[in-house]
Coordinates of all heavy atoms in Angstrom, one line a residue:
N664 N 200.7 86.5 174.5 CA 200.0 86.7 175.7 C 198.5 86.2 175.6 O 197.9 86.7 174.6 CB 200.0 88.1 176.4 CG 201.3 88.4 176.9 OD1 201.9 87.6 177.5 ND2 201.8 89.7 176.5
D665 N 198.0 85.2 176.4 CA 196.6 84.9 176.4 C 195.8 86.0 177.0 O 196.0 86.2 178.2 CB 196.5 83.4 177.1 CG 195.2 82.8 176.6 OD1 194.5 83.1 175.5 OD2 194.8 81.8 177.3
A666 N 194.8 86.6 176.3 CA 194.0 87.6 176.9 C 192.5 87.3 176.9 O 192.1 86.7 175.8 CB 194.3 88.9 176.0
F667 N 191.8 87.6 177.8 CA 190.5 87.3 178.0 C 189.7 88.2 178.9 O 190.3 89.0 179.7 CB 190.3 85.9 178.4 CG 191.0 85.4 179.6 CD1 190.6 85.5 180.8 CD2 192.3 85.1 179.5 CE1 191.3 85.1 181.9 CE2 193.2 84.7 180.5 CZ 192.6 84.7 181.9
A679 N 190.2 97.2 179.7 CA 191.0 96.3 180.4 C 190.7 94.9 180.2 O 189.6 94.5 179.8 CB 190.8 96.7 182.0
C680 N 191.7 94.1 180.5 CA 191.4 92.6 180.3 C 192.5 91.8 181.1 O 193.3 92.5 181.7 CB 191.5 92.2 178.9 SG 193.3 92.3 178.2
V681 N 192.3 90.6 181.3 CA 193.3 89.7 182.0 C 194.3 89.2 180.9 O 193.9 88.6 179.9 CB 192.6 88.6 182.7 CG1 193.5 87.7 183.4 CG2 191.5 89.1 183.7
V682 N 195.4 89.2 181.1 CA 196.6 88.6 180.2 C 197.3 87.6 181.1 O 197.6 87.8 182.2 CB 197.4 89.6 179.7 CG1 196.6 90.5 178.6 CG2 198.2 90.5 180.6
T683 N 197.7 86.5 180.4 CA 198.4 85.5 181.0 C 199.6 85.2 180.3 O 199.6 85.0 179.1 CB 197.7 84.1 181.2 OG1 196.4 84.3 182.0 CG2 198.5 83.1 182.0
G684 N 200.9 85.4 180.9 CA 202.2 85.2 180.2 C 202.9 83.9 180.6 O 202.4 82.9 180.9
G687 N 202.3 81.1 183.8 CA 201.0 81.2 184.2 C 200.7 82.4 185.0 O 199.7 82.6 185.7
K688 N 201.6 83.5 185.0 CA 201.5 84.7 185.7 C 200.5 85.5 185.1 O 200.5 85.7 183.8 CB 202.8 85.5 185.9 CG 203.8 84.7 186.7 CD 205.1 85.5 186.7 CE 206.2 84.9 187.7 NZ 207.5 85.6 187.7
S689 N 199.5 85.9 185.8 CA 198.4 86.9 185.3 C 198.6 88.3 185.7 O 199.1 88.5 186.8 CB 197.0 86.4 185.8 OG 196.6 85.0 185.3
S690 N 198.0 89.2 184.8 CA 198.0 90.6 185.2 C 196.9 91.2 184.5 O 196.2 90.7 183.6 CB 199.4 91.3 184.7 OG 199.5 91.2 183.3
L691 N 196.5 92.4 185.1 CA 195.5 93.2 184.3 C 196.1 94.2 183.4 O 196.9 95.0 183.7 CB 194.6 94.0 185.4 CG 193.9 93.1 186.4 CD1 193.2 94.0 187.4 CD2 193.1 92.1 185.9
L692 N 195.7 94.1 182.0 CA 196.2 95.1 181.1 C 195.2 96.2 180.9 O 194.0 96.0 180.7 CB 196.3 94.3 179.7 CG 196.8 95.2 178.6 CD1 198.1 95.9 178.7 CD2 196.7 94.3 177.4
V693 N 195.7 97.4 180.9 CA 194.8 98.6 180.8 C 195.4 99.4 179.5 O 196.5 99.7 179.5 CB 194.8 99.5 182.0 CG1 193.9 100.8 181.6 CG2 194.3 98.7 183.1
A703 N 199.3 99.7 180.5 CA 199.7 99.6 181.9 C 199.4 98.1 182.2 O 198.4 97.6 181.9 CB 199.1 100.5 182.9
N704 N 200.3 97.4 183.0 CA 200.1 96.0 183.4 C 200.2 96.2 185.0 O 201.1 96.6 185.5 CB 201.1 95.2 183.0 CG 200.8 94.6 181.4 OD1 200.1 93.7 181.3 ND2 201.6 95.2 180.5
I705 N 199.0 95.6 185.5 CA 198.9 95.6 187.0 C 199.0 94.1 187.3 O 198.2 93.2 187.1 CB 197.5 96.2 187.4 CG1 197.3 97.5 186.9 CG2 197.3 96.1 188.9 CD1 195.8 98.1 187.1
A706 N 200.2 93.9 188.1 CA 200.4 92.6 188.5 C 199.3 92.0 189.5 O 198.9 92.7 190.4 CB 201.9 92.4 189.2
L707 N 199.1 90.8 189.3 CA 198.0 90.1 190.2 C 198.8 89.3 191.4 O 199.7 88.6 191.0 CB 197.0 89.3 189.5 CG 196.2 90.2 188.5 CD1 195.4 89.3 187.7 CD2 195.1 90.9 189.3
P708 N 198.2 89.3 192.6 CA 199.0 88.7 193.7 C 199.0 87.0 193.6 O 199.8 86.5 194.3 CB 198.2 89.2 194.9 CG 196.9 89.6 194.4 CD 196.9 90.0 193.0
V709 N 198.1 86.6 192.9 CA 198.0 85.0 192.9 C 198.0 84.6 191.5 O 197.2 85.2 190.7 CB 196.8 84.6 193.6 CG1 196.7 83.0 193.5 CG2 196.7 85.1 195.2
P710 N 198.7 83.7 191.0 CA 198.7 83.2 189.6 C 197.3 82.4 189.4 O 196.6 82.1 190.3 CB 199.9 82.2 189.5 CG 200.1 81.8 190.9 CD 199.7 83.0 191.7
G711 N 197.1 82.1 188.2 CA 195.9 81.4 187.7 C 195.0 82.1 186.9 O 195.3 83.3 186.4
W713 N 192.3 84.4 186.4 CA 191.5 85.4 187.1 C 190.3 85.8 186.3 O 190.3 85.7 185.0 CB 192.4 86.7 187.4 CG 193.3 86.6 188.4 CD1 194.4 85.8 188.7 CD2 193.2 87.3 189.6 NE1 195.0 85.9 189.9 CE2 194.3 87.0 190.5 CE3 192.3 88.4 190.1 CZ2 194.5 87.4 191.8 CZ3 192.5 88.9 191.4 CH2 193.6 88.5 192.1
L715 N 188.0 89.0 185.5 CA 187.8 90.5 185.5 C 186.3 90.6 185.2 O 185.8 90.4 184.1 CB 188.7 91.2 184.4 CG 188.6 92.7 184.3 CD1 188.9 93.5 185.6 CD2 189.4 93.2 183.2
L725 N 189.0 98.6 188.9 CA 188.8 97.4 188.2 C 188.4 96.3 189.3 O 189.1 96.2 190.3 CB 190.0 97.0 187.4 CG 190.3 97.9 186.2 CD1 191.8 97.4 185.7 CD2 189.4 97.7 185.1
P747 N 196.7 95.5 193.7 CA 195.3 95.3 194.1 C 195.0 94.8 195.5 O 195.9 94.2 196.0 CB 194.8 94.2 192.9 CG 195.7 94.1 192.0 CD 196.9 94.5 192.6

Side-chain angles (χ1 to χ4, degrees):
N664 290 317
D665 200 17
F667 49 96
C680 66
V681 179
V682 293
T683 303
K688 295 180 180 179
S689 297
S690 63
L691 300 178
L692 172 66
V693 180
N704 278 282
I705 304 172
L707 293 170
V709 178
W713 279 69
L715 177 60
L725 297 169

